[in-house]
Amino acid sequence: MSESQPEHPTEPTDPATPLVLLHGVGQAPMAWEDVVVRLYGSRRLLTPWVPGLRPTETRPVPVEEASARLAQELELEGLTRLDLCAQNWGAMVATRLAADRPDLVRRLVLVGGQVRTPKLVSGVQAGLLRLMPASRLADAGVSKERLTAALDVARRADLTDALPRVQAPTLVLVGGRDRAGQLGARALADGIAGARLRVVEGAGPALNEESPAELEQLLREFLDQP
């Protein structure tokens, strides 16, 4: 598979809408592996790099640019209608994509997303980054310098104007132990018409890695609705 192609594509066994899974800052597409294994065969699955976070790129990019580039990449994959599930910074990119391209996004699942990153969350992220072993970052193909730059871009993002334009049915998820993320999750749910908020008890901020079984069940329930 060439570097420009999304990771882990699977061929559908039925006409279910393809599902695109977007990782967060500090993660790589492989962060979705446990979820992909559980959903394998149910629909076409794609886990692309979020634009600006690929290790070979020289800089992270603003949310608007990341959204536009992602839409172009997905259309080059032949997708004209898709479901989106996204984590962390990926959730902010997904929200902007759903707002800008309602023709492309059928359903939207946001995990640990924010409308704009509060100072409290920024402080928590900075503290976690200082404590994070370099070896763990190396597994995701990033350095502390690159991750710091990506978090700085995320701190400047603001989706306030995008939320009223999201037309896709939306499920907002947040871990019960993710106290820093719960205010952001509620702001997303309040700002998107008809959005539902679900707190996953006992889970932390990275549901795709920490609670893949629970996330798989929630995805099936939400995405398989008529």
Side-chain angles (χ1 to χ4, degrees), residues 7-87:
E7 305 278 342
H8 302 308
T10 66
E11 292 303 317
T13 57
D14 58 51
T17 304
L19 174 60
V20 177
L21 301 161
L22 298 181
H23 62 91
V25 169
Q27 294 182 333
M30 287 295 289
W32 290 102
E33 185 167 18
D34 289 341
V35 177
V36 167
V37 167
R38 287 170 167 81
L39 291 172
Y40 189 89
S42 63
R43 65 186 68 227
R44 186 183 181 193
L45 304 169
L46 299 99
T47 61
W49 280 99
V50 174
L53 298 186
R54 189 189 304 272
T56 54
E57 294 186 73
T58 59
R59 64 180 179 89
V61 297
V63 65
E64 297 85 358
E65 181 180 341
S67 168
R69 283 174 50 186
L70 179 64
Q72 183 178 48
E73 291 175 15
L74 295 174
E75 288 178 320
L76 288 173
E77 287 289 322
L79 301 182
T80 58
R81 192 72 168 161
L82 55 89
D83 293 332
L84 261 179
C85 175
Q87 168 81 36

Side-chain angles (χ1 to χ4, degrees), residues 15-179:
T17 304
L19 174 60
V20 177
L21 301 161
L22 298 181
H23 62 91
V25 169
Q27 294 182 333
M30 287 295 289
W32 290 102
E33 185 167 18
D34 289 341
V35 177
V36 167
V37 167
R38 287 170 167 81
L39 291 172
Y40 189 89
S42 63
R43 65 186 68 227
R44 186 183 181 193
L45 304 169
L46 299 99
T47 61
W49 280 99
V50 174
L53 298 186
R54 189 189 304 272
T56 54
E57 294 186 73
T58 59
R59 64 180 179 89
V61 297
V63 65
E64 297 85 358
E65 181 180 341
S67 168
R69 283 174 50 186
L70 179 64
Q72 183 178 48
E73 291 175 15
L74 295 174
E75 288 178 320
L76 288 173
E77 287 289 322
L79 301 182
T80 58
R81 192 72 168 161
L82 55 89
D83 293 332
L84 261 179
C85 175
Q87 168 81 36
N88 183 283
W89 170 246
M92 298 187 79
V93 174
T95 301
R96 174 63 68 174
L97 178 57
D100 292 345
R101 293 294 306 275
D103 59 304
L104 189 60
V105 180
R106 186 189 74 107
R107 286 180 181 265
L108 182 64
V109 181
L110 305 173
V111 183
Q114 299 283 342
V115 179
R116 52 184 179 272
T117 305
K119 291 183 179 179
L120 172 62
V121 174
S122 297
V124 170
Q125 291 173 335
L128 291 175
L129 177 58
R130 285 193 297 270
L131 297 173
M132 190 176 295
S135 59
R136 180 177 173 186
L137 292 175
D139 290 341
V142 297
S143 65
K144 285 196 176 185
E145 291 75 15
R146 282 291 309 277
L147 188 50
T148 298
L151 291 175
D152 186 56
V153 168
R155 279 192 288 269
R156 296 196 298 270
D158 188 340
L159 297 175
T160 302
D161 68 315
L163 300 189
R165 297 189 285 111
V166 175
Q167 299 178 22
T170 301
L171 175 64
V172 180
L173 301 175
V174 65
R177 294 189 289 106
D178 184 11
R179 300 299 183 187

